Amino acid sequence: MPNEMRPAELDETDRGILRVLARDARTPNNAIAAAVGIAPSTCLGRIRALRERGIVHGHHTDIDLAALGLPLQAMIAVRLGAHTRGQVDSFLDHAAGLPGVISVFNLSGGNDFLLRVAASSADALRDFILDHITSHPGIQHTETSLIFTHRRGAAALSAL
Amino acid sequence: MPNEMRPAELDETDRGILRVLARDARTPNNAIAAAVGIAPSTCLGRIRALRERGIVHGHHTDIDLAALGLPLQAMIAVRLGAHTRGQVDSFLDHAAGLPGVISVFNLSGGNDFLLRVAASSADALRDFILDHITSHPGIQHTETSLIFTHRRGAAALSAL
DNA sequence: CGTGAAATTAATACTAC
DNA sequence: GTAGTATTAATTTCACG
């Protein structure tokens, strides 16, 4: 989600901290400090500043959804009839709050939205689409693809 | 990425721990313990077990890519000519390692892959596609959509 | 499994450079 | 901005219920 941020001046120390945090967000402050060669107290201030500057959004744990009873994942492409800001924002809010939704993208091009969802079964996925997506006002078309596999890239790391 | 996991028996305590970690992966162990009503030492063991059982994959920090000089994000749909396992795996490995790639999905349906990428500019995005995607052997078609906005859902939380 | 106590290690304010 | 130091708090191990 590109927002209001300018390129922001990050020195090599900040980059090092981010590199460590991107790989393991639970790394102790202590260990981060050692990894980048500064004192722990300094490191603490840096991390706090990175959060306050909005460069660090948060820290999330990747949980195996299959282990939680959601072994299926799908991408649902959604097209709206109209494209007023109201329609778009309304659907975005709606979709982000639905159970099983991992992420929602608002896109340019033929499809307006892409939803990544997790489901317990093919039936549950179908029900999800019928109950929460196609039933939403203004939806013109949906198209669902199963996600066979997912791989995490290293976008953040490659930019550091 | 649905893999080999069975629904896995998670009691209410495990679920509580995961709920806390999903929201803030840097929550201290003893705060998690207090939140779910167990001793810190017990909590530590639970968290370790959740990692060993593969239920927790890792902890990642969300970094603002715009602040890192990558203000643009796009979804690139990719279609292969053939669909042998070799072709698919080869592209998956290739794509996941490319700079700026946030995630790679292997899908059913018309498009074989979906790449979420971050770029510094429209030119950089075009270069990325020409240099790394369309130049890859076996690529039949690509289609790029800009990501205007992204919203994180609460899939994990809704399953806990 | 769960715990509580003990030892080690880390987080956090300060202070000062 | 950076670090040293003192205090408070958290992590970790382990013997035991």
Side-chain angles (χ1 to χ4, degrees), chain B:
Chain B
M1 63 320 237
N3 55 8
E4 68 294 325
M5 275 307 159
R6 322 286 160 272
E9 344 90 17
L10 294 169
D11 61 19
E12 203 33 62
T13 303
D14 285 327
R15 271 186 244 279
I17 292 169
L18 292 173
R19 224 174 291 138
V20 174
L21 283 175
R23 216 167 41 97
D24 181 3
R26 273 184 83 79
T27 310
N29 174 65
N30 79 1
I32 302 171
V36 302
I38 56 176
S41 53
T42 310
C43 192
L44 197 68
R46 292 266 194 163
I47 295 172
R48 195 175 295 158
L50 287 168
R51 269 196 287 255
E52 279 163 7
R53 293 161 72 190
I55 292 159
V56 163
H57 283 143
H59 313 279
H60 302 284
T61 293
D62 268 11
I63 297 169
D64 190 301
L65 294 174
L68 265 48
L70 302 172
L72 248 59
Q73 288 190 27
M75 281 292 184
I76 308 173
V78 176
R79 196 173 307 153
L80 290 183
H83 302 81
T84 63
R85 171 180 290 273
Q87 290 255 24
V88 169
D89 287 349
S90 147
F91 185 78
L92 208 51
D93 285 340
H94 172 250
L98 294 173
V101 170
I102 300 167
S103 38
V104 187
F105 299 94
N106 175 210
L107 304 176
S108 73
N111 289 304
D112 299 303
F113 298 97
L114 205 53
L115 274 72
R116 179 180 170 198
V117 304
S120 56
S121 68
D123 277 359
L125 179 59
R126 191 205 51 169
D127 288 347
F128 172 87
I129 295 165
L130 294 175
D131 293 345
H132 299 300
I133 308 299
T134 56
S135 66
H136 190 84
I139 300 299
Q140 192 180 87
H141 180 73
T142 73
E143 189 179 341
T144 302
S145 301
L146 285 182
I147 298 174
F148 294 134
T149 63
H150 167 236
R151 293 276 266 276
R152 222 183 145 75
L157 294 173
S158 63
L160 293 168

